[in-house]
């Protein structure tokens, strides 16, 4: 249904899950579809906080798949199952997609 745990890997290459959460300020890799061709204005929030983007573009070897490498915010970001919102221009990903953060 497109909601729940995002297709994501943690900095160590393991799959992100409630039993294997990513550390704050670590790098996470997310995957998305349906983004279209214009990737000029991409942003990502995790738990309502802006995540620094290291890469947002085509996933090498997988036509139509977008790869997003982002640093999970630190500071006041709480641990837990947090919402992830990918924005491209004025379009946002659907509600209900999450990642696990420790």
């Amino acid at each position: 249904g497109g909601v729940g745990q995002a297709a994501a890997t943690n900095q160590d290459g393991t799959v992100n899950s409630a039993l294997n959460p990513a550390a704050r300020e670590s790098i996470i890799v997310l995957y998305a579809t349906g983004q279209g061709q214009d990737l000029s204005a991409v942003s990502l929030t995790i738990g309502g906080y802006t995540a620094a983007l290291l890469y947002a573009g085509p996933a090498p070897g997988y036509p139509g798949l977008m790869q997003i490498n982002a640093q999970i915010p630190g500071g006041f970001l709480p641990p837990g199952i947090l919402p992830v919102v990918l924005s491209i221009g004025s379009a946002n990903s659907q509600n209900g997609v999450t990642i696990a953060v420790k």
Side-chain angles (χ1 to χ4, degrees):
V3 297
Q5 175 67 44
T9 54
N10 295 329
Q11 186 167 320
D12 63 2
T14 60
V15 175
N16 180 269
S17 70
L19 296 176
N20 190 36
R24 286 181 283 183
E25 298 186 350
S26 67
I27 307 301
I28 193 162
V29 179
L30 300 152
Y31 299 93
T33 60
Q35 69 279 352
Q37 297 295 317
D38 183 11
L39 300 178
S40 60
V42 178
S43 65
L44 183 79
T45 62
I46 299 172
Y49 292 88
T50 301
L53 295 180
L54 305 171
Y55 174 78
Y62 296 94
L65 186 64
M66 180 181 187
Q67 178 177 324
I68 302 99
N69 299 1
Q71 183 176 27
I72 296 175
F76 295 108
L77 184 76
I81 306 301
L82 304 178
V84 176
V85 178
L86 175 65
S87 299
I88 302 174
S90 62
N92 295 327
S93 58
Q94 66 189 47
N95 293 328
V97 178
T98 61
I99 64 163
V101 176
K102 62 179 171 180

PDB file of all heavy atoms in Angstrom, residues 53-93:
ATOM      1  N   LEU A  53      21.098  16.241   2.200  1.00  0.00           N
ATOM      2  CA  LEU A  53      21.163  15.323   1.068  1.00  0.00           C
ATOM      3  C   LEU A  53      22.581  15.249   0.533  1.00  0.00           C
ATOM      4  O   LEU A  53      23.187  16.270   0.218  1.00  0.00           O
ATOM      5  CB  LEU A  53      20.217  15.770  -0.044  1.00  0.00           C
ATOM      6  CG  LEU A  53      18.736  15.739   0.290  1.00  0.00           C
ATOM      7  CD1 LEU A  53      17.927  16.200  -0.911  1.00  0.00           C
ATOM      8  CD2 LEU A  53      18.301  14.354   0.725  1.00  0.00           C
ATOM      9  N   LEU A  54      23.094  14.034   0.416  1.00  0.00           N
ATOM     10  CA  LEU A  54      24.407  13.816  -0.174  1.00  0.00           C
ATOM     11  C   LEU A  54      24.273  13.459  -1.642  1.00  0.00           C
ATOM     12  O   LEU A  54      25.167  13.729  -2.439  1.00  0.00           O
ATOM     13  CB  LEU A  54      25.139  12.709   0.579  1.00  0.00           C
ATOM     14  CG  LEU A  54      25.254  12.942   2.084  1.00  0.00           C
ATOM     15  CD1 LEU A  54      25.784  11.715   2.772  1.00  0.00           C
ATOM     16  CD2 LEU A  54      26.115  14.152   2.366  1.00  0.00           C
ATOM     17  N   TYR A  55      23.156  12.816  -1.996  1.00  0.00           N
ATOM     18  CA  TYR A  55      22.875  12.440  -3.385  1.00  0.00           C
ATOM     19  C   TYR A  55      21.381  12.217  -3.525  1.00  0.00           C
ATOM     20  O   TYR A  55      20.755  11.629  -2.647  1.00  0.00           O
ATOM     21  CB  TYR A  55      23.627  11.156  -3.759  1.00  0.00           C
ATOM     22  CG  TYR A  55      23.277  10.637  -5.132  1.00  0.00           C
ATOM     23  CD1 TYR A  55      23.828  11.221  -6.264  1.00  0.00           C
ATOM     24  CD2 TYR A  55      22.393   9.580  -5.294  1.00  0.00           C
ATOM     25  CE1 TYR A  55      23.499  10.767  -7.536  1.00  0.00           C
ATOM     26  CE2 TYR A  55      22.064   9.115  -6.558  1.00  0.00           C
ATOM     27  CZ  TYR A  55      22.624   9.715  -7.675  1.00  0.00           C
ATOM     28  OH  TYR A  55      22.299   9.264  -8.921  1.00  0.00           O
ATOM     29  N   ALA A  56      20.842  12.680  -4.627  1.00  0.00           N
ATOM     30  CA  ALA A  56      19.447  12.405  -4.974  1.00  0.00           C
ATOM     31  C   ALA A  56      19.380  12.337  -6.487  1.00  0.00           C
ATOM     32  O   ALA A  56      19.518  13.350  -7.168  1.00  0.00           O
ATOM     33  CB  ALA A  56      18.523  13.489  -4.435  1.00  0.00           C
ATOM     34  N   GLY A  57      19.236  11.124  -7.000  1.00  0.00           N
ATOM     35  CA  GLY A  57      19.206  10.950  -8.440  1.00  0.00           C
ATOM     36  C   GLY A  57      18.935   9.508  -8.808  1.00  0.00           C
ATOM     37  O   GLY A  57      18.514   8.705  -7.961  1.00  0.00           O
ATOM     38  N   PRO A  58      19.197   9.163 -10.062  1.00  0.00           N
ATOM     39  CA  PRO A  58      18.925   7.803 -10.513  1.00  0.00           C
ATOM     40  C   PRO A  58      19.746   6.770  -9.728  1.00  0.00           C
ATOM     41  O   PRO A  58      20.917   7.009  -9.419  1.00  0.00           O
ATOM     42  CB  PRO A  58      19.354   7.821 -11.978  1.00  0.00           C
ATOM     43  CG  PRO A  58      19.372   9.261 -12.368  1.00  0.00           C
ATOM     44  CD  PRO A  58      19.696  10.022 -11.118  1.00  0.00           C
ATOM     45  N   ALA A  59      19.127   5.646  -9.402  1.00  0.00           N
ATOM     46  CA  ALA A  59      19.846   4.542  -8.764  1.00  0.00           C
ATOM     47  C   ALA A  59      20.617   3.820  -9.862  1.00  0.00           C
ATOM     48  O   ALA A  59      20.015   3.361 -10.838  1.00  0.00           O
ATOM     49  CB  ALA A  59      18.877   3.596  -8.072  1.00  0.00           C
ATOM     50  N   PRO A  60      21.935   3.739  -9.744  1.00  0.00           N
ATOM     51  CA  PRO A  60      22.736   3.126 -10.799  1.00  0.00           C
ATOM     52  C   PRO A  60      22.268   1.703 -11.136  1.00  0.00           C
ATOM     53  O   PRO A  60      22.115   0.867 -10.248  1.00  0.00           O
ATOM     54  CB  PRO A  60      24.145   3.107 -10.211  1.00  0.00           C
ATOM     55  CG  PRO A  60      24.139   4.197  -9.181  1.00  0.00           C
ATOM     56  CD  PRO A  60      22.740   4.210  -8.633  1.00  0.00           C
ATOM     57  N   GLY A  61      22.001   1.477 -12.420  1.00  0.00           N
ATOM     58  CA  GLY A  61      21.621   0.149 -12.889  1.00  0.00           C
ATOM     59  C   GLY A  61      20.154  -0.191 -12.756  1.00  0.00           C
ATOM     60  O   GLY A  61      19.746  -1.290 -13.080  1.00  0.00           O
ATOM     61  N   TYR A  62      19.326   0.743 -12.258  1.00  0.00           N
ATOM     62  CA  TYR A  62      17.904   0.474 -12.054  1.00  0.00           C
ATOM     63  C   TYR A  62      17.068   1.599 -12.659  1.00  0.00           C
ATOM     64  O   TYR A  62      16.684   2.537 -11.957  1.00  0.00           O
ATOM     65  CB  TYR A  62      17.578   0.314 -10.569  1.00  0.00           C
ATOM     66  CG  TYR A  62      18.249  -0.870  -9.943  1.00  0.00           C
ATOM     67  CD1 TYR A  62      19.472  -0.744  -9.289  1.00  0.00           C
ATOM     68  CD2 TYR A  62      17.672  -2.126 -10.021  1.00  0.00           C
ATOM     69  CE1 TYR A  62      20.101  -1.842  -8.730  1.00  0.00           C
ATOM     70  CE2 TYR A  62      18.291  -3.232  -9.462  1.00  0.00           C
ATOM     71  CZ  TYR A  62      19.503  -3.079  -8.817  1.00  0.00           C
ATOM     72  OH  TYR A  62      20.117  -4.169  -8.262  1.00  0.00           O
ATOM     73  N   PRO A  63      16.773   1.520 -13.946  1.00  0.00           N
ATOM     74  CA  PRO A  63      15.986   2.578 -14.596  1.00  0.00           C
ATOM     75  C   PRO A  63      14.655   2.807 -13.880  1.00  0.00           C
ATOM     76  O   PRO A  63      13.962   1.857 -13.510  1.00  0.00           O
ATOM     77  CB  PRO A  63      15.755   2.037 -16.007  1.00  0.00           C
ATOM     78  CG  PRO A  63      16.860   1.053 -16.217  1.00  0.00           C
ATOM     79  CD  PRO A  63      17.136   0.454 -14.863  1.00  0.00           C
ATOM     80  N   GLY A  64      14.324   4.082 -13.649  1.00  0.00           N
ATOM     81  CA  GLY A  64      13.065   4.429 -12.996  1.00  0.00           C
ATOM     82  C   GLY A  64      13.119   4.435 -11.483  1.00  0.00           C
ATOM     83  O   GLY A  64      12.146   4.801 -10.828  1.00  0.00           O
ATOM     84  N   LEU A  65      14.244   4.031 -10.900  1.00  0.00           N
ATOM     85  CA  LEU A  65      14.379   4.004  -9.445  1.00  0.00           C
ATOM     86  C   LEU A  65      15.263   5.168  -9.012  1.00  0.00           C
ATOM     87  O   LEU A  65      16.326   5.403  -9.580  1.00  0.00           O
ATOM     88  CB  LEU A  65      14.999   2.686  -8.984  1.00  0.00           C
ATOM     89  CG  LEU A  65      15.079   2.455  -7.473  1.00  0.00           C
ATOM     90  CD1 LEU A  65      13.685   2.378  -6.861  1.00  0.00           C
ATOM     91  CD2 LEU A  65      15.846   1.170  -7.176  1.00  0.00           C
ATOM     92  N   MET A  66      14.805   5.914  -8.015  1.00  0.00           N
ATOM     93  CA  MET A  66      15.567   7.033  -7.472  1.00  0.00           C
ATOM     94  C   MET A  66      16.254   6.594  -6.191  1.00  0.00           C
ATOM     95  O   MET A  66      15.683   5.872  -5.376  1.00  0.00           O
ATOM     96  CB  MET A  66      14.632   8.204  -7.171  1.00  0.00           C
ATOM     97  CG  MET A  66      15.328   9.416  -6.610  1.00  0.00           C
ATOM     98  SD  MET A  66      14.128  10.730  -6.262  1.00  0.00           S
ATOM     99  CE  MET A  66      15.234  12.039  -5.830  1.00  0.00           C
ATOM    100  N   GLN A  67      17.492   7.039  -6.026  1.00  0.00           N
ATOM    101  CA  GLN A  67      18.260   6.769  -4.815  1.00  0.00           C
ATOM    102  C   GLN A  67      18.496   8.087  -4.094  1.00  0.00           C
ATOM    103  O   GLN A  67      18.868   9.074  -4.713  1.00  0.00           O
ATOM    104  CB  GLN A  67      19.592   6.126  -5.173  1.00  0.00           C
ATOM    105  CG  GLN A  67      20.484   5.863  -3.984  1.00  0.00           C
ATOM    106  CD  GLN A  67      21.765   5.154  -4.383  1.00  0.00           C
ATOM    107  OE1 GLN A  67      21.778   4.324  -5.273  1.00  0.00           O
ATOM    108  NE2 GLN A  67      22.854   5.494  -3.706  1.00  0.00           N
ATOM    109  N   ILE A  68      18.287   8.098  -2.786  1.00  0.00           N
ATOM    110  CA  ILE A  68      18.504   9.277  -1.970  1.00  0.00           C
ATOM    111  C   ILE A  68      19.458   8.900  -0.840  1.00  0.00           C
ATOM    112  O   ILE A  68      19.137   8.040  -0.024  1.00  0.00           O
ATOM    113  CB  ILE A  68      17.185   9.821  -1.360  1.00  0.00           C
ATOM    114  CG1 ILE A  68      16.169  10.155  -2.449  1.00  0.00           C
ATOM    115  CG2 ILE A  68      17.445  11.039  -0.492  1.00  0.00           C
ATOM    116  CD1 ILE A  68      15.140   9.085  -2.650  1.00  0.00           C
ATOM    117  N   ASN A  69      20.637   9.510  -0.826  1.00  0.00           N
ATOM    118  CA  ASN A  69      21.587   9.316   0.268  1.00  0.00           C
ATOM    119  C   ASN A  69      21.476  10.555   1.153  1.00  0.00           C
ATOM    120  O   ASN A  69      21.709  11.671   0.687  1.00  0.00           O
ATOM    121  CB  ASN A  69      23.010   9.200  -0.256  1.00  0.00           C
ATOM    122  CG  ASN A  69      23.216   8.023  -1.189  1.00  0.00           C
ATOM    123  OD1 ASN A  69      22.292   7.275  -1.479  1.00  0.00           O
ATOM    124  ND2 ASN A  69      24.417   7.874  -1.682  1.00  0.00           N
ATOM    125  N   ALA A  70      21.117  10.365   2.398  1.00  0.00           N
ATOM    126  CA  ALA A  70      20.866  11.495   3.290  1.00  0.00           C
ATOM    127  C   ALA A  70      21.452  11.239   4.673  1.00  0.00           C
ATOM    128  O   ALA A  70      21.560  10.100   5.112  1.00  0.00           O
ATOM    129  CB  ALA A  70      19.365  11.743   3.415  1.00  0.00           C
ATOM    130  N   GLN A  71      21.797  12.335   5.335  1.00  0.00           N
ATOM    131  CA  GLN A  71      22.260  12.244   6.713  1.00  0.00           C
ATOM    132  C   GLN A  71      21.075  12.483   7.635  1.00  0.00           C
ATOM    133  O   GLN A  71      20.370  13.491   7.509  1.00  0.00           O
ATOM    134  CB  GLN A  71      23.347  13.265   6.995  1.00  0.00           C
ATOM    135  CG  GLN A  71      23.907  13.136   8.400  1.00  0.00           C
ATOM    136  CD  GLN A  71      25.063  14.080   8.659  1.00  0.00           C
ATOM    137  OE1 GLN A  71      25.156  15.133   8.050  1.00  0.00           O
ATOM    138  NE2 GLN A  71      25.933  13.683   9.555  1.00  0.00           N
ATOM    139  N   ILE A  72      20.863  11.556   8.546  1.00  0.00           N
ATOM    140  CA  ILE A  72      19.776  11.696   9.508  1.00  0.00           C
ATOM    141  C   ILE A  72      20.103  12.869  10.435  1.00  0.00           C
ATOM    142  O   ILE A  72      21.236  12.979  10.911  1.00  0.00           O
ATOM    143  CB  ILE A  72      19.587  10.400  10.314  1.00  0.00           C
ATOM    144  CG1 ILE A  72      19.157   9.274   9.380  1.00  0.00           C
ATOM    145  CG2 ILE A  72      18.575  10.594  11.436  1.00  0.00           C
ATOM    146  CD1 ILE A  72      19.065   7.930  10.025  1.00  0.00           C
ATOM    147  N   PRO A  73      19.139  13.752  10.663  1.00  0.00           N
ATOM    148  CA  PRO A  73      19.402  14.884  11.561  1.00  0.00           C
ATOM    149  C   PRO A  73      19.784  14.418  12.961  1.00  0.00           C
ATOM    150  O   PRO A  73      19.404  13.329  13.399  1.00  0.00           O
ATOM    151  CB  PRO A  73      18.060  15.630  11.592  1.00  0.00           C
ATOM    152  CG  PRO A  73      17.343  15.193  10.366  1.00  0.00           C
ATOM    153  CD  PRO A  73      17.785  13.789  10.113  1.00  0.00           C
ATOM    154  N   GLY A  74      20.540  15.237  13.650  1.00  0.00           N
ATOM    155  CA  GLY A  74      20.890  14.968  15.046  1.00  0.00           C
ATOM    156  C   GLY A  74      20.090  15.902  15.932  1.00  0.00           C
ATOM    157  O   GLY A  74      18.933  16.202  15.651  1.00  0.00           O
ATOM    158  N   GLY A  75      20.718  16.388  16.960  1.00  0.00           N
ATOM    159  CA  GLY A  75      20.087  17.390  17.820  1.00  0.00           C
ATOM    160  C   GLY A  75      18.834  16.897  18.507  1.00  0.00           C
ATOM    161  O   GLY A  75      18.857  15.931  19.245  1.00  0.00           O
ATOM    162  N   PHE A  76      17.719  17.561  18.203  1.00  0.00           N
ATOM    163  CA  PHE A  76      16.462  17.289  18.894  1.00  0.00           C
ATOM    164  C   PHE A  76      15.648  16.150  18.283  1.00  0.00           C
ATOM    165  O   PHE A  76      14.564  15.857  18.768  1.00  0.00           O
ATOM    166  CB  PHE A  76      15.598  18.556  18.931  1.00  0.00           C
ATOM    167  CG  PHE A  76      16.224  19.644  19.747  1.00  0.00           C
ATOM    168  CD1 PHE A  76      16.767  20.759  19.124  1.00  0.00           C
ATOM    169  CD2 PHE A  76      16.285  19.556  21.123  1.00  0.00           C
ATOM    170  CE1 PHE A  76      17.352  21.767  19.879  1.00  0.00           C
ATOM    171  CE2 PHE A  76      16.865  20.553  21.880  1.00  0.00           C
ATOM    172  CZ  PHE A  76      17.403  21.665  21.257  1.00  0.00           C
ATOM    173  N   LEU A  77      16.146  15.528  17.231  1.00  0.00           N
ATOM    174  CA  LEU A  77      15.405  14.435  16.603  1.00  0.00           C
ATOM    175  C   LEU A  77      15.217  13.297  17.613  1.00  0.00           C
ATOM    176  O   LEU A  77      16.201  12.772  18.146  1.00  0.00           O
ATOM    177  CB  LEU A  77      16.151  13.927  15.374  1.00  0.00           C
ATOM    178  CG  LEU A  77      15.424  12.841  14.578  1.00  0.00           C
ATOM    179  CD1 LEU A  77      14.293  13.476  13.764  1.00  0.00           C
ATOM    180  CD2 LEU A  77      16.379  12.114  13.665  1.00  0.00           C
ATOM    181  N   PRO A  78      13.976  12.914  17.894  1.00  0.00           N
ATOM    182  CA  PRO A  78      13.757  11.846  18.873  1.00  0.00           C
ATOM    183  C   PRO A  78      14.009  10.470  18.255  1.00  0.00           C
ATOM    184  O   PRO A  78      13.922  10.311  17.043  1.00  0.00           O
ATOM    185  CB  PRO A  78      12.286  12.006  19.231  1.00  0.00           C
ATOM    186  CG  PRO A  78      11.669  12.543  17.984  1.00  0.00           C
ATOM    187  CD  PRO A  78      12.715  13.456  17.386  1.00  0.00           C
ATOM    188  N   PRO A  79      14.308   9.469  19.073  1.00  0.00           N
ATOM    189  CA  PRO A  79      14.399   8.111  18.551  1.00  0.00           C
ATOM    190  C   PRO A  79      12.997   7.553  18.297  1.00  0.00           C
ATOM    191  O   PRO A  79      12.015   8.075  18.803  1.00  0.00           O
ATOM    192  CB  PRO A  79      15.094   7.353  19.684  1.00  0.00           C
ATOM    193  CG  PRO A  79      14.714   8.107  20.906  1.00  0.00           C
ATOM    194  CD  PRO A  79      14.589   9.545  20.489  1.00  0.00           C
ATOM    195  N   GLY A  80      12.930   6.509  17.489  1.00  0.00           N
ATOM    196  CA  GLY A  80      11.658   5.835  17.250  1.00  0.00           C
ATOM    197  C   GLY A  80      11.381   5.622  15.782  1.00  0.00           C
ATOM    198  O   GLY A  80      12.268   5.724  14.936  1.00  0.00           O
ATOM    199  N   ILE A  81      10.133   5.324  15.486  1.00  0.00           N
ATOM    200  CA  ILE A  81       9.665   5.139  14.109  1.00  0.00           C
ATOM    201  C   ILE A  81       9.192   6.513  13.636  1.00  0.00           C
ATOM    202  O   ILE A  81       8.178   7.015  14.120  1.00  0.00           O
ATOM    203  CB  ILE A  81       8.519   4.101  14.041  1.00  0.00           C
ATOM    204  CG1 ILE A  81       8.941   2.789  14.707  1.00  0.00           C
ATOM    205  CG2 ILE A  81       8.079   3.901  12.610  1.00  0.00           C
ATOM    206  CD1 ILE A  81      10.168   2.119  14.109  1.00  0.00           C
ATOM    207  N   LEU A  82       9.948   7.103  12.714  1.00  0.00           N
ATOM    208  CA  LEU A  82       9.717   8.496  12.335  1.00  0.00           C
ATOM    209  C   LEU A  82       9.248   8.627  10.892  1.00  0.00           C
ATOM    210  O   LEU A  82       9.697   7.870  10.022  1.00  0.00           O
ATOM    211  CB  LEU A  82      11.001   9.306  12.522  1.00  0.00           C
ATOM    212  CG  LEU A  82      11.610   9.277  13.916  1.00  0.00           C
ATOM    213  CD1 LEU A  82      12.905  10.078  13.943  1.00  0.00           C
ATOM    214  CD2 LEU A  82      10.630   9.810  14.943  1.00  0.00           C
ATOM    215  N   PRO A  83       8.383   9.606  10.626  1.00  0.00           N
ATOM    216  CA  PRO A  83       7.912   9.820   9.257  1.00  0.00           C
ATOM    217  C   PRO A  83       9.026  10.378   8.366  1.00  0.00           C
ATOM    218  O   PRO A  83       9.856  11.167   8.814  1.00  0.00           O
ATOM    219  CB  PRO A  83       6.780  10.831   9.416  1.00  0.00           C
ATOM    220  CG  PRO A  83       7.073  11.534  10.694  1.00  0.00           C
ATOM    221  CD  PRO A  83       7.770  10.537  11.568  1.00  0.00           C
ATOM    222  N   VAL A  84       9.016   9.938   7.110  1.00  0.00           N
ATOM    223  CA  VAL A  84       9.956  10.406   6.088  1.00  0.00           C
ATOM    224  C   VAL A  84       9.126  11.032   4.978  1.00  0.00           C
ATOM    225  O   VAL A  84       8.182  10.406   4.479  1.00  0.00           O
ATOM    226  CB  VAL A  84      10.771   9.233   5.515  1.00  0.00           C
ATOM    227  CG1 VAL A  84      11.669   9.697   4.380  1.00  0.00           C
ATOM    228  CG2 VAL A  84      11.588   8.575   6.596  1.00  0.00           C
ATOM    229  N   VAL A  85       9.483  12.267   4.575  1.00  0.00           N
ATOM    230  CA  VAL A  85       8.785  12.937   3.485  1.00  0.00           C
ATOM    231  C   VAL A  85       9.806  13.394   2.454  1.00  0.00           C
ATOM    232  O   VAL A  85      10.701  14.180   2.773  1.00  0.00           O
ATOM    233  CB  VAL A  85       7.957  14.141   3.978  1.00  0.00           C
ATOM    234  CG1 VAL A  85       7.275  14.840   2.807  1.00  0.00           C
ATOM    235  CG2 VAL A  85       6.921  13.692   5.010  1.00  0.00           C
ATOM    236  N   LEU A  86       9.675  12.870   1.245  1.00  0.00           N
ATOM    237  CA  LEU A  86      10.499  13.272   0.117  1.00  0.00           C
ATOM    238  C   LEU A  86       9.712  14.292  -0.686  1.00  0.00           C
ATOM    239  O   LEU A  86       8.559  14.055  -1.034  1.00  0.00           O
ATOM    240  CB  LEU A  86      10.822  12.058  -0.758  1.00  0.00           C
ATOM    241  CG  LEU A  86      11.582  12.335  -2.054  1.00  0.00           C
ATOM    242  CD1 LEU A  86      12.983  12.861  -1.764  1.00  0.00           C
ATOM    243  CD2 LEU A  86      11.647  11.063  -2.897  1.00  0.00           C
ATOM    244  N   SER A  87      10.328  15.454  -0.945  1.00  0.00           N
ATOM    245  CA  SER A  87       9.680  16.497  -1.738  1.00  0.00           C
ATOM    246  C   SER A  87      10.514  16.759  -2.984  1.00  0.00           C
ATOM    247  O   SER A  87      11.744  16.867  -2.904  1.00  0.00           O
ATOM    248  CB  SER A  87       9.564  17.795  -0.939  1.00  0.00           C
ATOM    249  OG  SER A  87       8.785  17.591   0.217  1.00  0.00           O
ATOM    250  N   ILE A  88       9.833  16.835  -4.108  1.00  0.00           N
ATOM    251  CA  ILE A  88      10.464  17.201  -5.373  1.00  0.00           C
ATOM    252  C   ILE A  88       9.608  18.310  -5.958  1.00  0.00           C
ATOM    253  O   ILE A  88       8.460  18.077  -6.327  1.00  0.00           O
ATOM    254  CB  ILE A  88      10.572  16.003  -6.332  1.00  0.00           C
ATOM    255  CG1 ILE A  88      11.356  14.875  -5.678  1.00  0.00           C
ATOM    256  CG2 ILE A  88      11.208  16.439  -7.650  1.00  0.00           C
ATOM    257  CD1 ILE A  88      11.415  13.592  -6.466  1.00  0.00           C
ATOM    258  N   GLY A  89      10.182  19.516  -5.978  1.00  0.00           N
ATOM    259  CA  GLY A  89       9.383  20.671  -6.370  1.00  0.00           C
ATOM    260  C   GLY A  89       8.259  20.857  -5.376  1.00  0.00           C
ATOM    261  O   GLY A  89       8.478  20.871  -4.168  1.00  0.00           O
ATOM    262  N   SER A  90       7.027  20.938  -5.861  1.00  0.00           N
ATOM    263  CA  SER A  90       5.872  21.117  -4.972  1.00  0.00           C
ATOM    264  C   SER A  90       5.179  19.796  -4.630  1.00  0.00           C
ATOM    265  O   SER A  90       4.180  19.796  -3.915  1.00  0.00           O
ATOM    266  CB  SER A  90       4.868  22.074  -5.614  1.00  0.00           C
ATOM    267  OG  SER A  90       4.390  21.530  -6.829  1.00  0.00           O
ATOM    268  N   ALA A  91       5.701  18.684  -5.125  1.00  0.00           N
ATOM    269  CA  ALA A  91       5.095  17.364  -4.864  1.00  0.00           C
ATOM    270  C   ALA A  91       5.773  16.691  -3.679  1.00  0.00           C
ATOM    271  O   ALA A  91       6.997  16.720  -3.545  1.00  0.00           O
ATOM    272  CB  ALA A  91       5.212  16.479  -6.092  1.00  0.00           C
ATOM    273  N   ASN A  92       4.964  16.100  -2.796  1.00  0.00           N
ATOM    274  CA  ASN A  92       5.469  15.373  -1.632  1.00  0.00           C
ATOM    275  C   ASN A  92       5.105  13.909  -1.727  1.00  0.00           C
ATOM    276  O   ASN A  92       4.064  13.547  -2.282  1.00  0.00           O
ATOM    277  CB  ASN A  92       4.866  15.932  -0.340  1.00  0.00           C
ATOM    278  CG  ASN A  92       5.281  17.337  -0.061  1.00  0.00           C
ATOM    279  OD1 ASN A  92       6.394  17.739  -0.380  1.00  0.00           O
ATOM    280  ND2 ASN A  92       4.391  18.114   0.536  1.00  0.00           N
ATOM    281  N   SER A  93       5.953  13.067  -1.143  1.00  0.00           N
ATOM    282  CA  SER A  93       5.615  11.653  -1.047  1.00  0.00           C
ATOM    283  C   SER A  93       4.387  11.496  -0.159  1.00  0.00           C
ATOM    284  O   SER A  93       4.037  12.390   0.611  1.00  0.00           O
ATOM    285  CB  SER A  93       6.795  10.863  -0.487  1.00  0.00           C
ATOM    286  OG  SER A  93       7.179  11.357   0.782  1.00  0.00           O
TER     287      SER A  93
END
